[in-house]
Each structure stands twice: as C-alpha cells, then as structure tokens.
Amino acid sequence: MPDRTLTRHAPRQQDHGANSRTLPVTSLAAPFRPFELIETPEAQEIHSTASRQLRRAGDFLSAARYMVRHHPKAGPTTLRLAAAFASRMHRSQHGHVPFNVPATVRELGLSRRTVLTHARYLRELGLIVWVEHGSKRNVLRTRHGSDWQPGHGYRGTATLYAPVAPPAWDHAQGHRIRGHGYRARLIGYTQAGRRRAVTAAQRSARSRCTPSVVGTSAPSRLQVVERAKKNTSRTRKARPAHPAARVTPAECHQAITLTQQLQREVWWLYDACSRRIAYALRPLIRAGWTVQQLAAELTTWGVPAHLQDPAAYIHHEIGRRQRLAELPPTTSPSARDPHADDGTRYDTMLHDREQHYAPAWQRYDQQLRPTLRRQLAQVRDRQRQQAAAAAQVYRPVLRESEAAFLASLPLDSWSDAPTPREIYAARAHRRPPARGQVLRADDPRWLEHLRDHAMAAQACENLRAHWATEQERAADAATHGAPDNEDSDPDASAPSTRPGPW
C-alpha cells in the first residue's frame, strides 16, 4: 500500500491568484496531486522554499528532467542550463553554485536574455532557490570584517543558487521525506520508489568500471583462438622478487579522492573512471605526489587527439618516462618531492640532445650550408635580372614637332630658357634642365621687344591719369549738383583732352 504517513511532503498551499498557474501533474505516481508554478519571489528564497537541499549533480539533473514537463515554456535549453549548474555543484560543500552570467553565456552560446529567462523557469519549477542576490557590495570587506584594509581590493557579491528537489519530484520518485523546506531530508522509499531505486542501482552496477588497466569497452586487437582440449602442462609464472606492497582501504579511498580532485584540473581526465585513474597513478601517489604536482606533470604530456583509455595511457607513459629518466623512479627519495629537482633532469636532457643533434648540425654546417647559400644567391640574382628585363621603360614622346611648338610661343620666351624638348628629356631622366638660347644685345628682335614694352608702359600711365581726372569730376558734380542738361555744360564745347591709347 502507498505510504501516507505525515513524514511525506505535504502540498504547499499557493495563492491561486494572478501570479500562479495550476498545471496537472502527468506522473502516474500521484495523478491527483497538482503542481503550481512558484512565481512569487518570497517562495524562491532558501529560507522559505518548500524544496529540499540537493548535493549530488545526478539527483539535480534527474529532478530537472522530470520537472521540465510541468512548465509550458521550458525545454532543452532549460536542461542545458541545469546541466551547467550541475557541473559546478562539486565546488561547494553544500552544493551551492555561483551564477556568473557572462561565463554562462559564453559556455552555452546563448544570449544574456535567454540565460536569465531559463534561470527564471528553473526557479518557478522549484529546482533552484536564491542563496544570495548579486550586488555591488564588496565581499572582501565582509570576509575580512574589522581587519579589512583598502589594500585588500574590491570584489562584488556574486549570485548564489542552491539546487533543490521539489516535493512533486520526491512524490513521483517514491521518496519518504522528514521535515519541510530546505532542511528536509530523505529517510526512505515507498514500495514503488524502492523498486525504482533497485532497478537504477542494478543498471548503474552493470556500467561500473573496474580498476584494471586495460579497458573493457575499447575494441580488442587480440587474436581469438578457439578452445580445444590440450594436455600440455601449465607453467606457473615466476613471482616478482619484490612483491607489491598491500594497499589498505583507507589508502585506496584517499587515492580515489585525490584522483577526483585531479580530474577537475586536467581536461582529458574529466570523463574517465576515477578508480582506474587512481590505480594507474598509484606509483606516484604512494611516492608522495600531491594534486598540484600531478596536474603540473600531466598537463605537459602530449595527449593523442582521440584518447580512448586515459588509464591505460597513464600506465604506459609512467613506465616509459621512468625508463627514459624523464620521471624520477618511485623508489628514489627525490620522488617524494618532484619540485625539489636541482636541475639534474634538465641538464641531462640538454646533454642528450646535444649528443643526438650535434653530428647532424656539424655535417650541415660544413657540407650543406655553403652549397645551399651559393645556390640561393644564384637564384636571387637570376630573379633580379628577370625582374629588370621585364620592367617597363617609359620614354618621352612629343605630340608635335619642336619647330611648330616654338613658332606658337611669344618672342620673349626665347630668352634664357630651355626648349620644351630639353625640359621633357630632363624630366624623363630626372635631372635639372639645361639653359636655353641667349639673344645678343644688338639683335633687332631684342630692340623691338624693348620698344614694345616702353610703349605699353606709357599707355598704362596715360590711362591711370585719365581715370584720376574722371574720378575728380564725379566728386565735384556730387558736391555742387549735377547740370540740367548736357548743353549747359561749359566744358561740353571745349575740345577733348583725352589722351590716346599710345
């Protein structure tokens, strides 16, 4: 019979007003129990929520996959945001996740508005609640208290969410809950919930990995031989001279915990089995290597692009690097502190590199380098010659004969000036033009030229005197008044005294 004790979640009484929408629950476990979206801000706080605390990412994702059907606008994008929150739950002891909006936008490839909208959907479904609202308040001042100084700097208060399990999901999964709100805890299962939990445990047990070095899921390259009856006697494999030290359960648990911390630092160990990785790293872990030292060493390894079995790769690389003296042997005292290296490994590496590459460099420097330089110089000279031959040479071209051009010029341009051909030639060859023809002082053409200039200067002077007289007459007429007609002008009958043009 179904469990109807008082320890189960009671349905939270919501205000059926304008801020709530009632949707029927589609789960077969409780067809009579409705679900109401939590839209009031007071019910989305950690101290007033009806959902209980979750610390495991798997439980949060299971609750998100079940509850997303109860929101009319939630969908795959909401589950992607829930998965991003689940990936950050291991960073906090209580499962709280910081909500960095710019980082989440870059991680999911969505817009800021979309991320904020689907975070609101998760709050309305009762999957996350506010622990702390983000603000400009300096969290370093709160952390240091009275010891805070201006040198500590500034860091704004982050937004913190707490992943929680809504009562509707607990009821559908058959969970027996003691308490109410965020501090409620799981104490058992109903009959249907117990069957569901046993089925999930059996399913996870089939996919559980073993601490063996060789992966079972990867395709095997071993040759399959049919079984046949053989009467040959078996030979027992010789035992090693120094048997491996026994590992206690506490040491095994400590190694797995260390490996889980290491998986958060090294990207290619993220989806690997922590037990198998701990087994492969056991020589270094027993030698005293810390998480920081292991992460610093593993990040320098050249990992293949398609790594199928990280545990087998680590087991092989540790043995190979120890044989090549790239890693200190696990039995030596220096393995206890890898960072206490005095430079011996680096000097050994430089010495081996010099011995390996020095003969090849000497052969290149003595035999190949001079020949290659000579051939390269020849190729460059040949290219320069080809470029010079292919270059276009521009020559000056006259559009008319020089005699016709000179005939169209005035006589005074025949003074000390270069000819147009000389000007064009000088410009084409980028040199100053030479001096032109010089006329003698007794040349008739030069005397005629000077006479013309003198006559033009005299005509200009006469014209300036006439204009001055006209201006004076105009000023007198404006002062004494203008005459009635032209016949009354006493000067009209006088002969004209205007000078001629020359």
Side-chain angles (χ1 to χ4, degrees), residues 470-492:
E470 292 291 339
Q471 291 178 358
E472 291 177 359
R473 289 181 180 179
D476 294 341
T479 302
H480 302 287
D484 296 339
N485 50 23
E486 294 182 358
D487 298 337
S488 61
D489 190 0
D491 298 333

Side-chain angles (χ1 to χ4, degrees), residues 12 54 131 141 145 278 387 420 425 429:
R12 190 173 186 275
L54 287 179
V131 178
R141 183 187 289 271
H429 296 285

